[in-house]
Amino acid sequence: MDKKINILKSINHNFLVAVIRGASADEAFNDAAACIKGGIKTIELTFTVPSADSVIKKLKEKYQNDVIIGAGTILDEVSARLAILAGADFIVGPNFNKEIALIANLYQRPYIPGCMTTTEITTALSYGSDIIKVFPGNVLGPKFIKSILGPIPNANLMPTGGVNLDNISDWVKAGVAAVGIGSNLVSPGANGNFDQVEENARQYVSKLKSNSPIKL
């Protein structure tokens, strides 16, 4: 249980979650490495990446306990188990799936499912999801966070989709536990410009320093 609690605390403390979707395993690994070098210490490596489990294993071997590496876009329990066996610290999906919740609980890994209604959120909470992915964030917006935390103040919410340098302060002020950052962070990697990915990461870390987002 201590391992799961420590992972959750690290996600909250690090606050920024880099969502990596590379066209190849090498691109995804280099995107993740650039984000880590830029100061982002939580990585979500999506299972849309070719050989995603191998990339997760490689990242875990290189960074060990210095960085939290999770698996994203997990749609079924088989993929969840493959990710966990590869060393994934947490599991993320675009939707809630009770079979994934159960296997994540079995292996003591945080499960962060995508939800966009109060019913989905409370169902995920009842199955042990300590952090809920608010998805798609660009559709729901920071006001959604405040509306949810009114009746469900115990929910720890992590918006993904639509989080950028211009609005991250709004998400923090709304009371989120973490934020997932995707294309506007790592898109230069598609052209091999990993230095720019690193610089983007540094900008997010710098932007966050003026806020106090710790919540869990």
Side-chain angles (χ1 to χ4, degrees), residues 4 7-8 11-12 17 42-44 68 70-74 89-97 100-101 104-105 109-115 124 127-135 156-160 177-180 216:
K4 182 180 179 181
I7 292 169
L8 288 165
I11 293 172
N12 182 224
V17 180
T42 304
I43 303 295
E44 176 191 329
I68 303 298
T73 320
I74 297 296
D89 294 308
F90 60 95
I91 302 296
V92 183
N95 64 305
F96 172 74
N97 180 301
I100 296 175
N105 287 337
R109 296 295 194 279
Y111 173 43
I112 307 175
C115 301
Y127 274 87
S129 293
D130 296 285
I131 298 177
I132 306 297
K133 173 181 173 180
V134 173
F135 180 78
N156 295 301
L157 306 176
M158 183 185 84
T160 300
V179 294
L216 286 179

Side-chain angles (χ1 to χ4, degrees), residues 8 11-12 15-17 112-118 120-122 124-125 129-135 137 140-160 163 171-172 174-180 213-216:
L8 288 165
I11 293 172
N12 182 224
F15 197 77
L16 303 172
V17 180
I112 307 175
C115 301
M116 65 180 300
T117 69
T118 52
E120 291 174 343
I121 290 169
T122 52
L125 287 171
S129 293
D130 296 285
I131 298 177
I132 306 297
K133 173 181 173 180
V134 173
F135 180 78
L140 298 169
K143 290 182 179 179
F144 176 82
I145 303 296
K146 291 183 178 181
S147 296
I148 291 297
L149 291 179
I152 317 174
N154 55 302
N156 295 301
L157 306 176
M158 183 185 84
T160 300
V163 178
W171 290 107
V172 172
V176 299
V179 294
I214 303 304
K215 180 177 183 288
L216 286 179

Side-chain angles (χ1 to χ4, degrees), residues 45-155:
L45 197 291
T46 72
F47 254 52
T48 56
V49 172
S51 303
D53 56 333
S54 297
V55 179
I56 289 172
K57 184 177 181 180
K58 186 177 177 181
L59 287 168
K60 288 297 296 182
E61 288 174 348
K62 180 172 182 177
Y63 297 102
Q64 299 185 21
N65 295 324
D66 295 331
V67 178
I68 303 298
I69 308 291
T73 320
I74 297 296
L75 300 174
D76 59 84
E77 64 270 30
V78 175
S79 298
R81 187 168 186 274
L82 285 172
I84 291 168
L85 291 176
D89 294 308
F90 60 95
I91 302 296
V92 183
N95 64 305
F96 172 74
N97 180 301
K98 67 179 182 180
E99 284 78 20
I100 296 175
L102 293 173
I103 199 166
N105 287 337
L106 177 64
Y107 287 96
Q108 285 295 290
R109 296 295 194 279
Y111 173 43
I112 307 175
C115 301
M116 65 180 300
T117 69
T118 52
T119 299
E120 291 174 343
I121 290 169
T122 52
T123 299
L125 287 171
S126 70
Y127 274 87
S129 293
D130 296 285
I131 298 177
I132 306 297
K133 173 181 173 180
V134 173
F135 180 78
N138 59 321
V139 173
L140 298 169
K143 290 182 179 179
F144 176 82
I145 303 296
K146 291 183 178 181
S147 296
I148 291 297
L149 291 179
I152 317 174
N154 55 302

Side-chain angles (χ1 to χ4, degrees), residues 10-30:
S10 293
I11 293 172
N12 182 224
H13 179 77
N14 297 340
F15 197 77
L16 303 172
V17 180
V19 182
I20 308 296
R21 296 183 184 276
S24 68
D26 285 342
E27 180 187 327
F29 180 85
N30 289 327

